[in-house]
Amino acid sequence: ASPSDTNMATARRDTLLELQASAQKKWADDKTFEVSAPRDGSKPPKFFGNFPYPYMNGMLHLGHAFSLSKLEFASAYHRLKGDETLFPFAFHCTGMPIKASADKIRNEIANFGNPPVFPVIDEAERERLATTKAAEAAKDAALRDPTKFVAKKSKATAKAGTQAYQWQIMQASGVEDSEIPPFADPKHWLEYFPPLAKRDVLAMGCQVDWRRSFITTDANPFYDAFVRWQFNTLKRIGKVIKAKRMAVYSPLDGQPCADHDRSSGEGVGPQEYTLVKMEVYQESLVGALVSLAGKQVFLAAATLRPETMYGQTNCWVLPEGDYGAFEMGNGEVLVMCDRAARNLAYQEHTAAPGVSVKLVGFKGSDLIGCAVKSPLAVLEKIYCLPMLTILMNKGTGVVTSVPSDSPADFMAMSDLKAKPPMREKFGVKDEWIMPFDVVACVHIPEFGDACAPVVCEQLKIKSQNDKVKLEEAKHLTYLKGFTDGVMLLGEFKGRAVKEVKPLIKDAMLASGDAIVYSEPEKAVMSRSGDECVVALTDQWYLEYGEATWLEKSKKCLANMNTYHDESRRAFEGTLGWLRQWACSRSFGLGTRVPWDEEFLIESLSDSTIYMAYYTVAHLLQGGDMYGKARPSVEPGLMTDDVWDAIFLGKELEPGSQFPKELLREMKTEFEFWYPFDLRVSGKDLIQNHLTFAIYNHTAIWEDDESKWPKSFRTNGHLLLNNEKMSKSTGNFKTLKQSIEEYSSDAMRFALADAGDTIEDANFVDDTANAAILRLTKELVWIEEIIATSKKGDGRSGDQESFADRVFENAMNVAIAATQENYEKMMFRDALKSGFYDLQSARDGYRVMCGGDGLMHSELAMKYIEVSTLLLAPICPHTCEHIWGTLLQKGGTVTKAGFPIGTTPDAKLVAAARYLDETCVSVRKGVAKATAPAKQKGGGSSGVAKICNAANVFVTDAFVGWRATCLDILRSNFDDSKAPGDRFPPINDILAAVKDSPLSTQADFKNVMKQVMPFVKFKMVEAQGIGLDALSEKLVFDERAILTENIEHVKKVCDLTEVNVLSCSDESAARTAAEKDGQKVAEATPGSPTWHYICTESETEIAAKVDAMDIGK
């Protein structure tokens, strides 16, 4: 762009920023968005929407703004249409992240100075090491899995390459070096980021009642008292218990690691295995294992299928894997990988909790040939053999082998048997593998007694390296084995697998042949940088999943609006699997567990009913988010009895010191605003926070369903220009940056346009920049029209012309469609119907009228008012300027009332569409008729003709097969049903056509090719217009529409003469048209026949004269 273009764009943006500042000052001065419950007990329509308070460990970014915009647009719409509207906003500070980040700052200063000087990575050395490692990993390619990825960087190098220090993260957030050291104190985060977040939300123009704002944690004594009451109530009604349960746990933090405490692995839970203890024969404790001689040593294999242990023929290890022998608290020695031993140490199996005693370490190759006795195995002695596909990040690294039922085991066993070089490479003696055959242990009707060999044969699997087919085989066999399998061996022979699976597991645990082992389903990293384990923890749990509580929560969900079917299914799925949730921890910020102050309430558990606190926060905190202002009472008076009186309607004791008038006000606020009508959130919170909110509401208000949530609206993540937002790639914008770059209104416009589904949306820079141009150009046009209207220069009088009627109807259409879209929270559609489509209708009206000056003045002014109100929820600053400054209306546009239109005339819409399509069609027809004739070899001959006149032949009614189809459609139309459901399936309609007399016609096959599009078009038209659309005649007078608008057709099609004729009348015009090849008789209603009358141009006449051979 040239400097002048850039300056112009900046000037336009700056204009919007000026309007933004002006509107926000007006709203602040007038306290426009401060709203209180009526004190007279009345119940006018109300809307209470809220948004998960953002976490205060950084600046708000465009992703926050996207989710927030959904609530902002919805709230602004409800305020505009006259509802009492409450939109509060708060700031979340509970949990680990702030404390962990503060500790990192402190440690970085201690280790690297202030400001810190971080170590520089030698890129050349790192690349050299990576290349060497990759080359070593690529050796023996013939034996390696060919689909296995060989990384260009080592694991350690990869980690080093992505490491970021907390100091650098603060710098990336725009914090100056001199301001960073105070962040070593967690309290500083609470003082620094919430005011900045408020600044940015204000700049966005969000219509928030800031009196009700607060921060969480015990730094705010009022909110702290509220959360303590919540948990005392939950404990009193039996929803909180103390128990030992397996939980994802951070050893570094010394506490369970809940979802919001994780930097990765959100939603991951414990995976429980049966750890099978395969005892090593003393004769095998040699070589690297010699130091274990005399001890009771077991290879420990984690399995999910204990019922198949009867069919073991060997066990597997990864030759290159790192293993160790770990001493348990009972003196037994278990062989496994270090990661598994670390998990097991936190599950009460070692002498000291969290301490794994490693006696000796060795490679998997040192275990090959070990003879073991495995529980339940039919074979007395089996051997440890190499498997190349074992993953060391799952299980223990030791794998049981049941080739009868595991396709992977069968193929690995087959490979070893069939490939002597492989046996030689790993030192496998023939007697360890060759005598062993499949031991059938489970019968599956579909596959017989040994399913793995059968399925591998069916899928033509050639080796253990065929991972894709083996995964398919696994899915085929494992599920069938459980659902249809019958035991062939052991104590439970003849019984169904699904019945005896838990019995076999329990028997193995009782005999000591196995123990329970758990690990995270996938890797989980805490925000402290610690890889989490699964630990058996004694702590406080919320009893999610308890039968009665679950049924109430399902009932709540059934009565809620989730806006998307995908969201409802996700909620139903979460309710299906969510069980006890650890709600306490010992590290971080928050509220202490009231009855056990050693613990804090974790961050997802103190944020489930705080929406109720919004209703009274302003009366307690007086607009001070930290709770220091205390305009009414001291926090000490906020006892559980007082909260019970406010939220549960209980009576206070007669001697209570709590002010009666304040209590009455608080109860009035809560009773008016609750339940909340809408909560907007990202879809990733369905699996925890949002489902927790359902559970907690149905518990606290278990006897008052009127207080349960009414709707959740979830959305996907926000892409920026079709790419994931990422600070590391630079594809990232803070909310502040976005507002400064585009203005709030242009940013909001692009956010509305980004998308409304549950899938990821896309913010596009070009859309925001285009919005700047469109909004500012519209402002200029509006100023011109208002000036014209004031001077009386516009057209006045009656509004009976076709153009006037169409334009006014277009406004009615826009009003109805946009209101429906706002109600459904489909803001992209609202932008389309209330802005794009309405502007298009306005531009079409300008053309039909012959320019701005010939538009009807009243309709032009009505358009300005309607378009302003329809756009106000999305672009309120620009609309406030139009409303107050340009239109000189009183009050604020945010409360001006949603525009009221009359019922849209669908027939007039159809007539207008017909006229538009006719003009497009005629322009194309003229161009084709006047084009030079084409030569056979390509190119054209001669010059263009001139067309100044045209005749159009119309017909009144559909006849023939079309009339038959319309008759069938009429007989199948149900006007009593909602639009969209008024016809049976189209296949039923087509079947009726085939059964009609049309089927006897000779050209029926050709007719049927035309039937489908005609029937579809008429069905769509009838859904909106009704039965009239199925008449043999059009819903409008085609001839009258063309006649009334003939001057418009002539003008836009550059014709001097157009005649509207009936195709049934014999005339010279018809004869001329048919002579010219036009099929006048084939005209149908809405598709007339046009005859373009062409004459030769002067150039063409001159060319012909020159070609004459005169004088010869």
Side-chain angles (χ1 to χ4, degrees):
S2 67
S4 60
D5 291 340
T6 302
N7 291 338
M8 176 62 75
T10 303
R12 289 180 180 277
R13 187 273 319 274
D14 290 346
T15 296
L16 296 181
L17 287 172
E18 290 170 9
L19 301 184
Q20 175 181 312
S22 175
Q24 290 176 10
K25 183 179 185 304
K26 170 182 171 60
W27 297 335
D29 291 345
D30 296 346
K31 299 181 179 180
T32 301
F33 309 128
E34 293 183 9
V35 59
S36 298
R39 294 298 185 258
D40 60 4
S42 61
K43 294 282 188 179
K46 65 91 178 173
F47 175 82
F48 173 18
N50 50 72
F51 168 81
Y53 38 29
Y55 198 74
M56 290 293 99
N57 61 342
M59 303 288 190
L60 298 183
H61 53 71
L62 201 54
H64 289 114
F66 175 64
S67 292
L68 180 58
S69 71
K70 304 301 182 188
L71 174 60
E72 163 64 8
F73 299 153
S75 298
Y77 161 68
H78 281 276
R79 180 177 286 105
L80 175 66
K81 74 171 189 168
D83 294 346
E84 294 293 320
T85 301
L86 175 59
F87 174 7
F89 199 95
F91 310 96
H92 201 196
C93 306
T94 305
M96 276 185 54
I98 288 176
K99 180 69 168 62
S101 297
D103 288 349
K104 288 179 182 177
I105 292 288
R106 186 178 65 251
N107 293 335
E108 287 166 13
I109 291 173
N111 294 329
F112 304 112
N114 185 8
V117 179
F118 297 115
V120 178
I121 298 172
D122 187 333
E123 293 291 336
E125 177 64 12
R126 183 170 70 177
E127 191 61 32
R128 187 189 67 79
L129 291 173
T131 302
T132 302
K133 182 74 174 178
E136 291 174 354
K139 288 181 179 179
D140 299 314
L143 293 175
R144 178 179 293 279
D145 176 3
T147 67
K148 188 172 182 180
F149 173 71
V150 179
K152 294 181 180 178
K153 296 182 179 180
S154 68
K155 185 176 180 181
T157 304
K159 285 187 175 180
T162 58
Q163 185 177 20
Y165 292 100
Q166 187 62 42
W167 190 286
Q168 295 168 334
I169 293 172
M170 303 303 289
Q171 289 174 321
S173 296
V175 183
E176 298 292 334
D177 276 9
S178 60
E179 296 180 326
I180 296 177
F183 285 96
D185 179 0
K187 293 181 181 177
H188 184 65
W189 296 69
L190 278 59
E191 296 164 357
Y192 186 86
F193 283 113
L196 295 182
K198 179 180 178 181
R199 174 202 67 190
D200 294 344
V201 175
L202 271 168
M204 183 176 168
C206 291
Q207 300 176 15
V208 173
D209 184 350
W210 289 105
R211 299 173 304 154
R212 301 171 188 264
S213 185
F214 59 86
I215 67 164
T216 66
T217 77
D218 53 10
N220 178 355
F222 290 104
Y223 187 74
D224 186 61
F226 169 77
V227 175
R228 291 169 70 90
W229 163 77
Q230 175 190 351
F231 270 78
N232 278 331
T233 303
L234 290 170
K235 186 169 186 292
R236 174 172 50 80
I237 61 178
K239 305 301 184 186
V240 181
I241 63 166
K242 196 169 190 179
K244 283 192 174 183
R245 296 285 187 274
M246 293 290 187
V248 177
Y249 182 89
S250 168
L252 180 60
D253 299 328
Q255 65 178 13
C257 188
D259 278 0
H260 279 192
D261 301 329
R262 303 174 185 178
S263 61
S264 65
E266 187 170 353
V268 173
Q271 172 65 65
E272 182 181 294
Y273 294 92
T274 302
L275 200 69
V276 180
K277 293 157 54 177
M278 299 179 283
E279 187 169 7
V280 180
Y281 285 93
Q282 287 292 317
E283 66 198 53
S284 294
L285 297 177
V286 295
L289 309 181
V290 69
S291 62
L292 303 176
K295 296 181 182 293
Q296 196 173 16
V297 181
F298 299 88
L299 301 189
T303 183
L304 297 171
R305 306 179 75 203
E307 73 279 7
T308 64
M309 293 303 97
Y310 296 100
Q312 295 173 86
T313 59
N314 62 282
C315 65
W316 304 111
V317 291
L318 182 68
E320 294 182 1
D322 292 316
Y323 293 82
F326 298 88
E327 188 171 45
M328 299 294 106
N330 60 2
E332 294 178 348
V333 177
L334 300 186
V335 174
M336 63 185 72
C337 64
D338 288 4
R339 179 192 51 77
R342 183 171 181 253
N343 273 276
L344 204 57
Y346 288 91
Q347 297 170 22
E348 298 188 349
H349 290 293
T350 55
V355 178
S356 56
V357 179
K358 189 174 185 177
L359 302 178
V360 63
F362 38 80
K363 288 289 186 180
S365 55
D366 295 318
L367 294 171
I368 294 174
C370 267
V372 299
K373 178 176 176 57
S374 190
L376 302 185
V378 172
L379 301 173
E380 187 69 19
K381 181 186 287 189
I382 59 177
Y383 293 92
C384 188
L385 300 174
M387 181 184 245
L388 306 182
T389 56
I390 290 174
L391 300 175
M392 297 299 284
N393 61 356
K394 210 166 189 63
T396 64
V398 179
V399 180
T400 61
S401 176
V402 185
S404 62
D405 286 74
S406 167
D409 292 344
F410 176 72
M411 291 314 305
M413 185 183 194
S414 300
D415 281 353
L416 271 176
K417 283 187 171 186
K419 299 176 180 178
M422 180 182 280
R423 297 201 297 275
E424 182 180 348
K425 174 181 174 61
F426 294 110
V428 176
K429 296 180 180 180
D430 286 356
E431 57 263 33
W432 299 343
I433 178 68
M434 301 308 289
F436 293 86
D437 293 318
V438 167
V439 177
C441 58
V442 174
H443 174 79
I444 302 174
E446 186 176 338
F447 302 120
D449 289 351
C451 62
V454 173
V455 173
C456 288
E457 171 97 16
Q458 290 176 352
L459 296 179
K460 297 181 171 52
I461 300 173
K462 302 300 182 184
S463 80
Q464 63 183 306
N465 295 328
D466 197 345
K467 287 187 176 181
V468 175
K469 286 186 177 180
L470 281 172
E471 190 64 24
E472 182 183 352
K474 175 182 173 181
H475 286 302
L476 283 172
T477 56
Y478 280 25
L479 181 61
K480 290 284 187 180
F482 177 74
T483 58
D484 302 345
V486 177
M487 297 301 301
L488 294 172
L489 298 172
E491 177 185 354
F492 301 102
K493 180 179 178 180
R495 295 177 65 179
V497 168
K498 59 187 174 186
E499 176 189 343
V500 302
K501 182 185 181 90
L503 303 180
I504 295 172
K505 174 185 174 181
D506 290 345
M508 293 181 73
L509 295 176
S511 67
D513 289 332
I515 59 176
V516 172
Y517 164 73
S518 293
E519 65 183 26
E521 295 165 314
K522 292 189 291 187
V524 176
M525 298 297 293
S526 79
R527 291 185 183 271
S528 300
D530 183 34
E531 183 172 356
C532 294
V533 298
V534 167
L536 188 60
T537 58
D538 184 17
Q539 61 167 310
W540 295 103
Y541 289 86
L542 284 159
E543 281 274 80
Y544 298 145
E546 182 271 323
T548 304
W549 200 4
L550 175 59
E551 286 309 307
K552 282 184 174 289
S553 299
K554 286 181 176 179
K555 183 178 182 181
C556 176
L557 176 63
N559 292 320
M560 289 177 65
N561 182 1
T562 62
Y563 292 91
H564 299 112
D565 291 339
E566 302 97 314
S567 296
R568 182 170 299 279
R569 288 194 292 270
F571 276 111
E572 290 169 346
T574 302
L575 286 173
W577 63 257
L578 181 62
R579 295 298 178 262
Q580 288 183 334
W581 181 266
C583 60
S584 61
R585 47 169 166 51
S586 54
F587 176 82
L589 305 177
T591 292
R592 295 282 167 187
V593 176
W595 59 87
D596 191 353
E597 298 210 352
E598 173 190 352
F599 294 102
L600 290 156
I601 296 168
E602 66 93 23
S603 62
L604 281 168
S605 298
D606 82 338
S607 56
T608 54
I609 63 164
Y610 70 89
M611 312 85 180
Y613 184 74
Y614 277 133
T615 66
V616 299
H618 61 304
L619 298 175
L620 297 175
Q621 300 187 203
D624 172 21
M625 70 172 72
Y626 298 99
K628 297 176 181 177
R630 303 176 187 181
S632 52
V633 293
E634 290 297 314
L637 286 180
M638 300 309 299
T639 62
D640 285 359
D641 289 343
V642 171
W643 294 115
D644 281 347
I646 296 167
F647 294 128
L648 303 182
K650 296 183 179 180
E651 294 295 326
L652 273 180
E653 293 294 328
S656 171
Q657 298 179 17
F658 196 82
K660 289 183 173 56
E661 179 57 25
L662 177 61
L663 177 62
R664 188 186 70 80
E665 278 193 88
M666 295 174 79
K667 290 176 71 171
T668 298
E669 287 283 334
F670 174 69
E671 290 296 334
F672 178 74
W673 292 115
Y674 235 66
F676 62 81
D677 299 279
L678 171 68
R679 185 161 181 79
V680 169
S681 174
K683 65 181 179 182
D684 51 310
L685 294 186
I686 291 176
Q687 66 187 7
N688 44 56
H689 165 73
L690 294 175
T691 303
F692 294 177
I694 292 176
Y695 264 114
N696 279 264
H697 276 84
T698 59
I700 299 294
W701 291 281
E702 60 180 336
D703 298 322
D704 186 0
E705 295 181 14
S706 70
K707 299 299 187 291
W708 293 1
K710 295 179 73 173
S711 75
F712 286 152
R713 205 278 190 189
T714 54
N715 52 262
H717 297 294
L718 183 69
L719 304 178
L720 180 54
N721 297 318
N722 276 315
E723 294 182 8
K724 182 180 179 181
M725 283 211 298
S726 169
K727 290 181 181 177
S728 63
T729 63
N731 193 51
F732 184 84
K733 291 185 191 295
T734 65
L735 177 52
K736 181 174 183 289
Q737 289 170 337
S738 302
I739 294 170
E740 290 173 348
E741 182 174 352
Y742 307 116
S743 80
S744 174
D745 276 0
M747 178 196 71
R748 290 166 63 119
F749 189 103
L751 288 171
D753 189 68
D756 294 304
T757 70
I758 198 170
E759 303 304 325
D760 290 348
N762 184 35
F763 182 97
V764 181
D765 283 340
D766 288 347
T767 302
N769 286 320
I772 296 172
L773 181 61
R774 295 193 73 139
L775 291 173
T776 51
K777 287 180 70 174
E778 189 71 1
L779 284 174
V780 172
W781 182 84
I782 289 173
E783 290 172 359
E784 292 173 351
I785 292 301
I786 291 175
T788 299
S789 178
K790 285 181 178 179
K791 288 188 288 186
D793 291 345
R795 178 163 59 89
S796 58
D798 66 66
Q799 303 171 14
E800 294 303 315
S801 74
F802 182 75
D804 290 345
R805 299 197 313 273
V806 166
F807 185 42
E808 184 165 29
N809 191 57
M811 287 189 268
N812 291 328
V813 169
I815 291 169
T818 306
Q819 180 151 30
E820 181 180 0
N821 290 327
Y822 276 133
E823 288 286 347
K824 293 179 178 178
M825 295 189 68
M826 301 301 287
F827 303 115
R828 187 176 194 173
D829 291 343
L831 195 60
K832 179 181 183 299
S833 60
F835 184 77
Y836 288 113
D837 290 352
L838 186 54
Q839 274 199 5
S840 179
R842 184 271 316 268
D843 292 341
Y845 180 54
R846 294 163 75 186
V847 171
M848 289 191 72
C849 291
D852 290 344
L854 297 177
M855 293 191 301
H856 197 288
S857 183
E858 288 181 19
L859 286 179
M861 293 300 295
K862 180 179 179 180
Y863 164 81
I864 294 171
E865 184 171 327
V866 168
S867 62
T868 299
L869 292 173
L870 294 183
L871 189 61
I874 295 172
C875 299
H877 307 92
T878 305
C879 294
E880 189 70 73
H881 171 70
I882 297 170
W883 191 257
T885 305
L886 301 185
L887 292 176
Q888 296 184 335
K889 301 274 189 177
T892 169
V893 73
T894 63
K895 298 181 179 179
F898 200 83
I900 298 173
T902 59
T903 302
D905 185 342
K907 297 177 182 179
L908 189 53
V909 171
R913 185 187 306 115
Y914 166 79
L915 184 62
D916 287 342
E917 291 173 353
T918 294
C919 290
V920 171
S921 176
V922 170
R923 283 197 296 268
K924 290 180 179 177
V926 169
K928 184 177 180 181
T930 57
K934 291 184 178 180
Q935 292 180 332
K936 284 187 177 180
S940 60
S941 62
V943 293
K945 297 182 178 67
I946 293 175
C947 179
N948 291 318
N951 292 324
V952 54
F953 299 89
V954 299
T955 187
D956 291 334
F958 290 105
V959 296
W961 65 263
R962 293 180 179 87
T964 302
C965 289
L966 288 169
D967 186 51
I968 291 170
L969 287 171
R970 283 195 298 272
S971 64
N972 283 277
F973 181 76
D974 188 346
D975 203 15
S976 66
K977 293 186 177 179
D981 296 322
R982 291 174 171 172
F983 287 104
I986 188 152
N987 286 338
D988 293 355
I989 302 293
L990 295 177
V993 174
K994 292 176 182 178
D995 290 339
S996 73
L998 289 177
S999 62
T1000 61
Q1001 295 182 5
D1003 61 344
F1004 179 63
K1005 285 186 177 181
N1006 291 329
V1007 167
M1008 283 303 295
K1009 292 177 183 178
Q1010 303 174 70
V1011 164
M1012 175 70 88
F1014 178 76
V1015 165
K1016 278 187 173 181
F1017 172 76
K1018 280 298 178 179
M1019 287 174 71
V1020 170
E1021 192 176 40
Q1023 298 283 13
I1025 294 176
L1027 191 60
D1028 285 350
L1030 303 178
S1031 167
E1032 278 82 4
K1033 294 188 176 183
L1034 295 179
V1035 293
F1036 55 87
D1037 187 331
E1038 182 178 15
R1039 186 164 188 166
I1041 295 297
L1042 289 172
T1043 301
E1044 183 179 356
N1045 293 284
I1046 205 72
E1047 293 302 320
H1048 171 66
V1049 174
K1050 284 157 58 175
K1051 180 178 179 182
V1052 299
C1053 298
D1054 197 21
L1055 297 170
T1056 57
E1057 180 184 352
V1058 175
N1059 300 299
V1060 183
L1061 307 168
S1062 172
C1063 67
S1064 61
D1065 294 341
E1066 296 295 333
S1067 64
R1070 174 172 180 158
T1071 301
E1074 290 176 336
K1075 184 179 180 181
D1076 236 2
Q1078 304 302 321
K1079 298 178 181 179
V1080 176
E1082 292 184 5
T1084 61
S1087 296
T1089 297
W1090 284 81
H1091 178 219
Y1092 303 103
I1093 303 169
C1094 298
T1095 59
E1096 294 178 336
S1097 67
E1098 292 182 7
T1099 304
E1100 187 169 358
I1101 294 172
K1104 287 183 176 180
V1105 170
D1106 289 341
M1108 290 181 183
D1109 194 2
I1110 301 175
K1112 292 187 179 178

